[in-house]
Amino acid sequence: MASQAVAKAVPEGAQVQKWKVFYTIREARDLIGATDRSLAILNALLSFHPEMELSGDGELIVWPSNEQLMARANGMPATTLRRHLAVLVGCGLIIRRDSPNGKRFARKGRGGQVEQAYGFDLSPIVARAEEFEELADAVRAEKNAFRLAKERLTLLRRDVVKLIETGIEENVPGNWGRVQQSYQVIVGRLPRSAPRQLIEDICCDLHGLYTEILEVLESFAKTQNLDANESHSGRHIQNSNPDSIFESEDGSRKKNEAGGSVAETDNVRSLPKRELPLGIVLDACPNMRELAQGGEIRHWRDLLATAELARPMLAISPSAWRDACEVMGEQHAAITIAAIYQRSDQINSAGGYLRSLTEKARDGKFSTWPMIMALLNAGLKAQKTPETSAGPSKEPDDDRPGLQVSDSLLKSLQKPRR
């Protein structure tokens, strides 16, 4: 009944090329619900229409017998023919116009014109021609999107493998075994024949892994360049960039103090203006030595490389680390990571904590000095506690000398905090 209602709605004067619309139907057959066998029968039915065009004003009923249809359908069995004729009717591509006795025939007038025909009505093809074209466009767009997704997947797989090989060959600090395992887990979700949505999801995961590896390699290359500049000029790595963000923040901080803005400078007015020595940072954050490759951190670049190792262990995203480097400078961002790693058992969300400190540093309200001094003070208290309980004769577990600080620094640490 729905197909008949559509057929009655054929606009007057509508015309379509029967083979052109047939190719459109064949392209969109999955969305229409047709099968290959049913389309073979539709092709045979269209061949019984004498004109090349199907017109809404003309007679669109064909009345071939089953024997004629089976012959033009390459000898299809009668039972298969009847089953797929029902499929064409169910898809709304044809309409049955049955005679009283169920046979297909046509009555002609004296002039040879068809007055009454019983068979299969092809008018739904004319009425739904635009719909079929839209469905075919959707199928073509889906095929194109699927092709692009497969191409992107191939490129990402190739690029990730090349980046991992580069990191291993260049001895870039990092847990490359874990990276390879992550890659295998992502690719292992890909079946032999995957839908487009699954391919796109895997592409998103691979792109995230690709971005993370690329950032590690770029950071390593940048560190190598800084090392080359340091060895060439004989200057400290921190002084290789005189216009760093941290120094500009220090200058703006002094300007605010001169302007008398007490609310913004109350937390940083009494902070030291000199740089933190690497030795003090390592005494305050001894866990970084255990994480460092070779167990030694001799230069700031070694601390930066170790911070790159600690970042994924703390579940800090690459974007949070990048923002911290841009705002604080790479050296102070590495010091902040070292302090967070030292207190990792006391921090629920290291990534959120780093972003909070980055925002404070952006406003000139954060310095690494108080953080390192607090860790030093905690280390001194931890050293005094076992000495008091076990006696002065207890030897340390390792051969590394104990924490050594000057008397003036010890006095400043023991002062009550305001």
Side-chain angles (χ1 to χ4, degrees), residues 53-230:
E53 293 184 349
L54 301 179
S55 175
D57 300 333
E59 185 62 38
L60 297 178
I61 297 178
V62 292
W63 55 92
S65 64
N66 284 349
E67 289 76 12
Q68 291 174 320
L69 274 177
M70 287 188 293
R72 295 201 183 184
N74 302 320
M76 185 180 294
T79 54
T80 306
L81 176 70
R82 287 192 291 269
R83 184 169 67 252
H84 289 289
L85 280 172
V87 172
L88 292 176
V89 174
C91 293
L93 293 173
I94 61 174
I95 299 174
R96 293 182 185 270
R97 303 295 186 187
D98 294 332
S99 64
N101 60 3
K103 295 185 179 296
R104 306 181 198 116
F105 62 91
R107 290 194 181 96
K108 298 182 180 180
R110 293 182 178 179
Q113 296 178 348
V114 177
E115 292 182 348
Q116 185 69 40
Y118 298 99
F120 298 106
D121 191 352
L122 304 177
S123 56
I125 296 177
V126 182
R128 301 176 62 190
E130 293 184 359
E131 176 189 349
F132 296 149
E133 185 64 32
E134 293 176 356
L135 292 176
D137 290 340
V139 170
R140 286 190 287 267
E142 176 64 23
K143 287 183 178 179
N144 185 58
F146 185 75
R147 178 181 60 82
L148 294 177
K150 290 184 68 176
E151 290 178 357
R152 186 187 178 205
L153 176 63
T154 302
L155 293 175
L156 281 171
R157 293 180 66 175
R158 182 192 67 187
D159 293 344
V160 169
V161 169
K162 285 186 176 180
L163 289 180
I164 292 176
E165 292 177 352
T166 301
I168 295 175
E169 292 174 358
E170 298 295 332
N171 295 322
V172 179
N175 191 350
W176 295 108
R178 181 189 64 83
V179 176
Q180 287 179 321
Q181 184 179 4
S182 300
Y183 170 75
Q184 293 297 336
V185 170
I186 295 174
V187 177
R189 293 162 42 201
L190 189 66
R192 183 176 295 274
S193 107
R196 179 177 62 88
Q197 187 59 46
L198 177 59
I199 292 179
E200 290 181 348
D201 292 342
I202 293 176
C203 284
C204 290
D205 294 341
L206 280 178
H207 185 266
L209 182 62
Y210 168 82
T211 303
E212 183 177 352
I213 299 174
L214 187 62
E215 288 180 352
V216 171
L217 295 181
E218 289 178 347
S219 177
F220 178 77
K222 187 175 181 181
T223 304
Q224 294 296 102
N225 292 335
L226 291 176
D227 294 344
N229 293 336
E230 179 184 353

Side-chain angles (χ1 to χ4, degrees), residues 298-361:
R298 298 180 178 180
H299 306 283
W300 286 109
R301 61 176 179 273
D302 297 335
L303 180 64
L304 183 62
T306 308
E308 289 282 1
L309 296 177
R311 179 191 63 77
M313 299 177 63
L314 295 171
I316 295 176
S317 64
S319 60
W321 168 245
R322 185 170 55 252
D323 292 343
C325 290
E326 291 177 356
V327 175
M328 303 179 188
E330 290 185 341
Q331 177 175 320
H332 289 275
I335 295 174
T336 306
I337 289 288
I340 294 176
Y341 185 74
Q342 185 67 28
R343 299 177 52 214
S344 58
D345 57 338
Q346 305 173 16
I347 299 175
N348 295 328
S349 175
Y353 185 45
L354 179 61
R355 289 189 182 275
S356 175
L357 296 180
T358 302
E359 291 302 318
K360 290 183 178 180

Side-chain angles (χ1 to χ4, degrees), residues 270 272 370 373-374 376-378 380-381 384 406-418:
S270 59
M373 293 301 106
L376 275 176
N377 196 7
L380 289 174
K381 291 181 180 178
K384 289 181 179 180
S406 63
D407 295 337
S408 59
L409 180 59
L410 181 60
K411 292 179 180 180
S412 63
L413 290 174
Q414 292 175 350
K415 290 181 180 180
R417 300 179 65 181
R418 291 186 301 172

